[in-house]
């Protein structure tokens, strides 16, 4: 059923069904090649089939052949020298290459392979085939390759280029491991490839395909100096789609992930992969900012750093500054510092680590201490905090923390949270994530994603906290992903620019004309890159990592697309076809128990 309707064989071409084909074998190769040197063949505008046939050479046989080849080359050189002839530059270069290759094979740094490279060009008629054949041979010549037609073996050449694994032409060239790795079709010339001598398993995440070639964009954040990433794009550019695609493919690698989800877009993904979904702001879900980050070791003992209480008091200053939506004055900081200490003491928690296991106070307890103070600043702070303790926004702080989620994927949804509380909810969620990452029970790569980071960047205290996380994540084998559509809040502040500077991976999607000037200035874009970001389709973007930049388009399988898409039309059509709604996890099904790690500066809370 896959055979063509007809097949006509001619000495230099074939007529297969309704098209004409001609095949070529590569007989000459350049002396030196770079990664991705075959990309021009794959990006040729005509329809061209490129077939690589690779056969390993036994190490013993390789050593013997290299020895005979060196003997022939040296014999020729000495014969020319004895007869007073000038040295042949090609023979000299071949001799040096043979010595170098023989040494690497002897040391086990590489192996030899027999490579057959064949091309088949397709055309609609004979005249077009003549033009395409000339263009293909010219392209091969520009790459310093000699493409010879398979004259009187056109059928064998066509079959050789089919996905049968049959090499009926058997025009081979011996290559070593490093040279063969550069001929891999999916090697992108725009991004630095992994070392061909490395024996480690491939790592990284497939983002999509290169818009300038047919290669794939495969990137490993954990192989860079830091593991942070920043994704900037206008609304509807495919920002969340790309974040979820990277997140899902990172889970394949065993990476633990935490997500701050402002619009509950990750629920379907969490339900499918068995993740944990926490609805911040939902009824009965609370986060107590006064909780001390205690960690349970595998032997059951609870530990904490010696400065835990001091650090928590300082963090409460940040929380209250975000809640009040204004920077604290020096007088307010002094009053709050005394009130926070008094609040912990009323709960029986002092500088003695043995008291840290007692129930933590609540935000309402702090308000009570402030209200009972005779200081006017304290009374004013208590009045400003009243909506968060007994008013409309008190649900999030009305009691102890209800859960401490953990798992391979944890989604913190902020959709049910009031807009006025989302910056504070994002901050408390990041604090929960930091406590998990800073004291893991097992060492493994982790990712923390802050979607719509502009919610936190609007507050100076929140922006400073996010910047500290970006600086500290690298030492914990973790990466921070900051995604936002409001590039102004990120690039118009010093902290925002510092967060971008501390991200080794920077992804720019389609930009609004109003923001392109800031983007161009910050990332030093060329005119071509600027125009591309203004006209890019959904899912297309620019991956920048140092001096390397590549334009790509995110590509997902149908199953992945269904899990990560947020297109209402697609979701409605799927619900109509299956009769099912999007799966959501219940907040009551959370797994509790924080993750911890041992540390030399921690104290044992269960002993005297």
């Amino acid at each position: 059923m896959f055979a063509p309707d007809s097949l006509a064989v001619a000495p230099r071409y074939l007529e297969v069904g309704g098209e004409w084909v001609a095949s070529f074998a590569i007989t000459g190769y350049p002396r030196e090649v770079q990664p991705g040197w075959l990309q021009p063949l794959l990006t040729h505008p005509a329809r061209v089939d490129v077939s690589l046939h690779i056969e390993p050479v036994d190490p013993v046989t390789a050593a013997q052949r290299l020895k005979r080849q060196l003997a022939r080359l040296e014999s020729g050189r000495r014969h020319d020298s004895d007869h007073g002839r000038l040295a042949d530059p090609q023979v000299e270069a071949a001799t040096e290459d043979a010595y170098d290759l023989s040494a690497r094979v002897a040391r086990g740094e590489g192996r030899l392979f027999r490579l057959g490279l064949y091309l088949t060009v397709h055309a609609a008629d004979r005249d077009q085939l003549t033009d395409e054949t000339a263009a293909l041979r010219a392209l091969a010549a520009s790459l310093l390759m000699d493409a010879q037609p398979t004259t009187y073996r056109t059928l064998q050449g066509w079959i050789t280029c089919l996905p049968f694994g049959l090499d009926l032409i058997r025009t081979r060239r011996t290559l070593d491991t490093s040279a063969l790795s550069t001929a891999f079709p999916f090697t992108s010339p725009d991004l630095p490839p992994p070392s061909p001598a490395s024996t480690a398993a491939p790592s990284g995440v497939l983002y999509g395909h290169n818009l300038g070639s047919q290669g794939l964009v495969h990137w490993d954040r954990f192989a860079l100096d830091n593991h942070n990433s920043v994704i900037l794009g206008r609304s509807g550019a495919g920002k969340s789609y790309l974040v979820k695609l990277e997140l899902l493919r990172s889970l394949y690698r065993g990476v633990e992930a935490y997500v701050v989800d402002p619009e509950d877009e990750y629920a379907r993904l969490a339900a499918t992969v068995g993740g944990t979904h926490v609805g911040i702001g939902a009824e009965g879900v609370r986060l107590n900012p006064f909780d001390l980050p205690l960690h349970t070791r595998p032997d059951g003992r609870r530990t904490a750093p010696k400065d835990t209480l001091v650090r928590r008091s300082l963090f409460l200053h940040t929380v209250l500054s975000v809640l009040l939506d204004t920077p604290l004055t020096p007088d307010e900081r002094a009053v709050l510092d005394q009130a926070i200490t008094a609040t912990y003491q009323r709960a029986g928690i002092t500088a003695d680590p043995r008291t840290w296991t007692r129930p933590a106070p609540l935000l309402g307890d702090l308000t009570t201490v402030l209200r009972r103070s005779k200081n006017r600043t304290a009374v004013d702070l208590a009045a400003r905090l009243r909506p968060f303790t007994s008013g409309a926004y008190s649900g999030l702080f009305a009691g102890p923390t209800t859960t401490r989620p953990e798992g391979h994927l944890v989604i913190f949804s902020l959709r049910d949270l009031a807009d006025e509380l989302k910056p504070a909810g994002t901050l408390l969620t990041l604090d929960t994530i930091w406590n998990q990452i800073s004291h893991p029970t097992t060492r493994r790569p982790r990712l923390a994603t802050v979607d719509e980071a502009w919610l936190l960047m609007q507050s100076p205290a929140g922006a400073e906290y996010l910047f500290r996380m970006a600086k500290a994540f690298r030492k914990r084998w973790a990466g921070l992903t900051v995604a936002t559509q409001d590039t102004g809040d990120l690039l118009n502040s010093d902290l925002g620019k510092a967060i971008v500077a501390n991200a080794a991976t920077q992804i720019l999607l389609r930009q609004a004309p109003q923001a392109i000037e800031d983007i161009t200035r910050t990332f030093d874009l060329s005119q071509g890159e600027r125009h591309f970001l203004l006209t890019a389709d959904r899912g297309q973007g620019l991956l920048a990592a140092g001096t390397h930049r590549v334009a790509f388009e995110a590509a997902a399988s149908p199953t992945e697309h269904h899990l990560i898409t947020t297109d209402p039309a697609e979701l409605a059509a799927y619900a109509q076809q299956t009769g099912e709604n999007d799966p959501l996890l219940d907040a009551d099904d959370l797994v509790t128990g924080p993750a911890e790690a041992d540390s030399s500066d921690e104290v044992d809370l269960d002993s005297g």
Side-chain angles (χ1 to χ4, degrees), residues 228 457 461-472 480 494-500 502:
N228 300 332
M457 294 299 298
E464 185 177 355
Y465 187 83
L466 194 63
F467 169 69
R468 291 200 300 266
M469 291 185 67
K471 295 281 288 185
L480 176 66
D494 293 336
L495 289 175
K497 293 180 180 179
I499 292 174
V500 173
N502 279 274

Side-chain angles (χ1 to χ4, degrees), residues 319-586:
V319 173
L320 295 175
S321 177
V322 173
L323 276 179
L324 300 176
D325 195 23
T326 180
L328 298 176
T329 64
D331 291 341
E332 291 174 339
R333 284 189 174 276
V335 169
L336 275 177
D337 189 64
Q338 296 177 357
I340 290 171
T341 302
T343 302
Y344 274 116
Q345 290 177 350
R346 291 188 57 186
I349 298 175
T350 63
D352 187 352
R354 291 175 295 182
T355 65
W356 295 352
T357 58
R358 295 173 180 173
L362 303 176
L363 185 62
D365 299 328
L366 174 64
T367 306
T368 301
V369 172
L370 290 172
R371 190 169 56 250
R372 293 179 179 178
S373 174
K374 297 181 180 179
N375 189 295
R376 180 175 297 178
T377 301
V379 175
D380 180 64
L381 285 173
R384 295 168 62 186
L385 289 175
R386 184 170 301 172
F388 307 103
T389 57
S390 58
Y393 306 131
S394 61
L396 186 61
F397 312 100
T401 300
T402 55
T403 182
R404 299 179 185 275
E406 66 177 7
H408 63 282
L409 174 63
V410 181
I411 307 297
F412 296 91
S413 174
L414 307 181
R415 184 182 62 178
D416 297 329
L417 204 60
D419 292 341
E420 292 78 3
L421 287 179
K422 283 188 176 180
T426 303
L427 179 63
L428 294 176
T429 300
L430 287 177
D431 176 67
T432 303
I433 295 173
W434 172 251
N435 292 335
Q436 298 278 33
I437 289 178
S438 61
H439 289 272
T441 54
T442 56
R443 292 293 176 184
R444 66 182 62 181
R446 289 172 166 85
L447 286 178
T449 300
V450 184
D451 203 348
E452 303 299 350
W454 62 271
L455 293 172
L456 192 60
M457 294 299 298
Q458 291 177 336
S459 169
E464 185 177 355
Y465 187 83
L466 194 63
F467 169 69
R468 291 200 300 266
M469 291 185 67
K471 295 281 288 185
F473 263 33
R474 180 184 61 84
K475 299 179 181 179
R476 271 76 178 181
W477 202 9
L480 176 66
T481 301
V482 176
T484 181
Q485 65 183 18
D486 196 341
T487 58
D489 287 343
L490 192 65
L491 301 181
N492 291 335
S493 65
D494 293 336
L495 289 175
K497 293 180 180 179
I499 292 174
V500 173
N502 279 274
T505 302
Q506 301 164 351
I507 300 177
L508 305 177
L509 302 179
R510 182 171 183 174
Q511 301 295 323
Q514 296 80 2
I516 194 62
E517 294 298 336
D518 291 337
I519 293 290
T520 302
R521 184 170 52 256
T522 302
F523 295 93
D524 193 20
L525 300 180
S526 65
Q527 287 298 323
E529 293 168 340
R530 171 193 173 104
H531 178 72
F532 169 73
L533 293 181
L534 287 173
T535 59
D537 293 333
R538 178 180 298 180
Q540 295 182 351
L542 188 68
L543 171 62
T547 59
H548 302 282
R549 295 183 180 181
V550 56
F552 73 98
E553 182 174 5
S557 68
T559 301
E560 291 175 327
H561 176 77
H562 169 67
L563 293 179
I564 63 181
T565 183
T566 55
D567 190 336
E570 293 185 9
L571 297 179
Y574 177 80
Q576 186 176 5
Q577 291 175 1
T578 61
E580 299 177 359
N581 294 323
D582 294 340
L584 293 175
L585 287 179
D586 212 11

Side-chain angles (χ1 to χ4, degrees), residues 297-338:
R297 296 175 52 174
D299 57 5
R301 294 186 176 183
R302 287 171 291 180
T303 61
K306 297 178 180 179
D307 58 350
T308 294
L309 186 59
V310 176
R311 288 181 176 272
R312 203 60 186 174
S313 299
L314 295 176
F315 172 72
L316 285 171
H317 285 266
T318 303
V319 173
L320 295 175
S321 177
V322 173
L323 276 179
L324 300 176
D325 195 23
T326 180
L328 298 176
T329 64
D331 291 341
E332 291 174 339
R333 284 189 174 276
V335 169
L336 275 177
D337 189 64
Q338 296 177 357

